[in-house]
Amino acid sequence: MFIVNVEGAIFYKEKWLLIKRSAKEEHAGGTLSLVGGKVDFEGNSLDILERTVRREIFEEISIQITENIRFLYNSSFVLDDGRQVINVVFLCEYGKGTAHSKSPDEVEEVCWMTYDEIINHPNTPPWTKESITRAEKHLRVI
């Protein structure tokens, strides 16, 4: 059985919204990350991935994204405890609200950063670099 995780790449005014994950987080604590989280069981459901990314963004950093949520890519990885994760990344448009951490146990800091700042930051893991690189390329094509 897989854990399904979703993340939102949010772009606004030439910057990407990232979080610094709390050091208390079991996976990748202290690193820069897109905002997201696990899909909850809902039984039979439509648009569960899109609704989850919208919910997680609001729960973690208190902003709303628009309805324009576009699939970017997916990947898989294995956690240290052996659980398998499917990660789905969406390109999202900022809607409204002021981004801030609603739960310091999950999100230590909220950052608006340029592509170059993210790529060159020492706390940016390879998977976040991959997501931002793909998102940046997608934006430049549109």
Side-chain angles (χ1 to χ4, degrees):
M1 188 64 75
F2 284 94
I3 295 169
V4 179
N5 189 70
V6 296
E7 295 181 306
I10 305 165
F11 189 76
Y12 183 64
K13 294 186 177 178
E14 300 303 315
K15 293 191 176 184
W16 295 98
L17 193 151
L18 275 80
I19 59 170
K20 180 177 181 187
R21 296 172 59 85
S22 168
K24 297 176 185 177
E25 284 289 308
E26 66 177 309
H27 173 69
T31 63
L32 292 177
S33 173
L34 299 176
V35 183
K38 297 175 190 168
V39 175
D40 294 333
F41 177 75
E42 294 184 3
N44 297 334
S45 183
L46 297 173
D47 301 322
I48 190 169
L49 300 178
E50 293 85 349
R51 283 188 293 104
T52 299
V53 76
R54 183 177 290 107
R55 183 193 75 238
E56 287 290 336
I57 289 168
F58 185 75
E59 284 178 0
E60 290 188 10
I61 61 166
S62 198
I63 67 164
Q64 294 178 15
I65 57 175
T66 69
E67 295 293 320
N68 190 14
I69 300 172
R70 292 170 280 170
F71 173 80
L72 191 57
Y73 82 107
N74 61 72
S75 62
S76 64
F77 60 93
V78 179
L79 295 170
D80 291 340
D81 64 7
R83 291 180 293 162
Q84 298 178 53
V85 179
I86 294 175
N87 193 55
V88 183
V89 180
F90 292 94
L91 189 58
C92 304
E93 291 181 5
Y94 169 82
K96 63 181 178 177
T98 301
H100 67 277
S101 172
K102 290 172 74 173
S103 174
D105 287 341
E106 291 183 43
V107 176
E108 188 173 308
E109 183 180 353
V110 176
C111 315
W112 287 100
M113 302 172 74
T114 66
Y115 173 81
D116 289 335
E117 289 170 335
I118 295 164
I119 296 301
N120 294 312
H121 197 284
N123 291 338
T124 306
W127 55 87
T128 301
K129 289 180 182 181
E130 177 70 22
S131 295
I132 289 298
T133 298
R134 286 178 180 240
E136 184 81 13
K137 286 179 182 175
H138 188 79
L139 271 183
R140 302 306 170 211
V141 170
I142 296 176

